[in-house]
Amino acid sequence: MSLGGIANLDYMVILCSKMQETRTFYGDVMGFEIAEDQENWVSFRIGSTLLTLRPRGPWSLCDDGPRPQGSAAVQLAFRVPLDAVDRCHEELASKGVAILREPTDLPKWRHRTLFFRDPEDNIIEIYAEF
C-alpha cells in the first residue's frame, strides 16, 4: 500500500500557457469528452480519470512558476487495442499533428507505440501491448 492508502489516480492537471489551444487539442483532436468546462478549468473524462487543464501561473494555493521553452512537463500514455495504434497515427496525421515517432514495436516492453506532443509540449504516447 502506498502513502496514506493511495489506491487511485483520479485526476491530473496540465498547467497551460496556451489554454484555448490545449483545450481544443484534447477536445477536438483527441476527441475526449468534456466533464466540466469553465474559463480557467476544463476537465475531460477518460475512463474513470479526469484530465484537467488550468492556466499556468499564480493559483489560489501556489504559483507553479515558469517552464523552460520546449520542455515537457509530463508524458501521458494512453493504452489502445493493438490494431488501433496505426489508425490513431493516420487520424492524428490527417489533423496536422506533428508526430515525434511513428508507430514502432518495442519488443523489450511488448508495446507498439506512437509519440507526439500536445500544444504545451507534453509528450503523448499512444500504445498497445502485444
Side-chain angles (χ1 to χ4, degrees):
M1 179 171 296
S2 60
L3 178 68
I6 296 170
N8 294 306
L9 176 62
D10 297 312
Y11 72 94
M12 66 198 75
V13 179
I14 295 179
L15 308 174
C16 299
S17 299
K18 304 171 186 172
M19 185 72 177
Q20 187 56 43
E21 186 178 344
T22 305
R23 180 196 184 285
T24 299
F25 177 83
Y26 284 103
D28 296 348
V29 175
M30 297 296 289
F32 295 151
E33 173 189 347
I34 293 177
E36 184 173 351
D37 192 0
Q38 299 178 28
E39 182 180 352
N40 290 319
W41 187 269
V42 179
S43 294
F44 298 92
R45 170 83 42 209
I46 306 166
S48 62
T49 304
L50 291 175
L51 174 64
T52 300
L53 312 176
R54 79 155 173 88
R56 178 173 287 284
W59 199 246
S60 59
L61 301 174
C62 63
D63 182 350
D64 47 82
R67 180 184 55 83
Q69 181 71 18
S71 65
V74 295
Q75 175 176 326
L76 301 175
F78 299 101
R79 186 173 54 208
V80 298
L82 185 57
D83 63 349
V85 174
D86 292 278
R87 287 195 316 269
C88 289
H89 174 249
E90 291 170 10
E91 184 174 344
L92 290 164
S94 74
K95 293 178 178 181
V97 174
I99 304 299
L100 294 175
R101 185 175 187 177
E102 294 185 355
T104 305
D105 288 337
L106 303 175
K108 179 179 178 181
W109 296 96
R110 297 186 44 150
H111 284 181
R112 182 159 180 78
T113 63
L114 162 65
F115 290 91
F116 52 100
R117 289 185 186 265
D118 72 6
E120 300 293 334
D121 290 322
N122 295 306
I123 297 171
I124 310 300
E125 174 185 5
I126 292 179
Y127 79 97
E129 297 175 333
F130 61 82

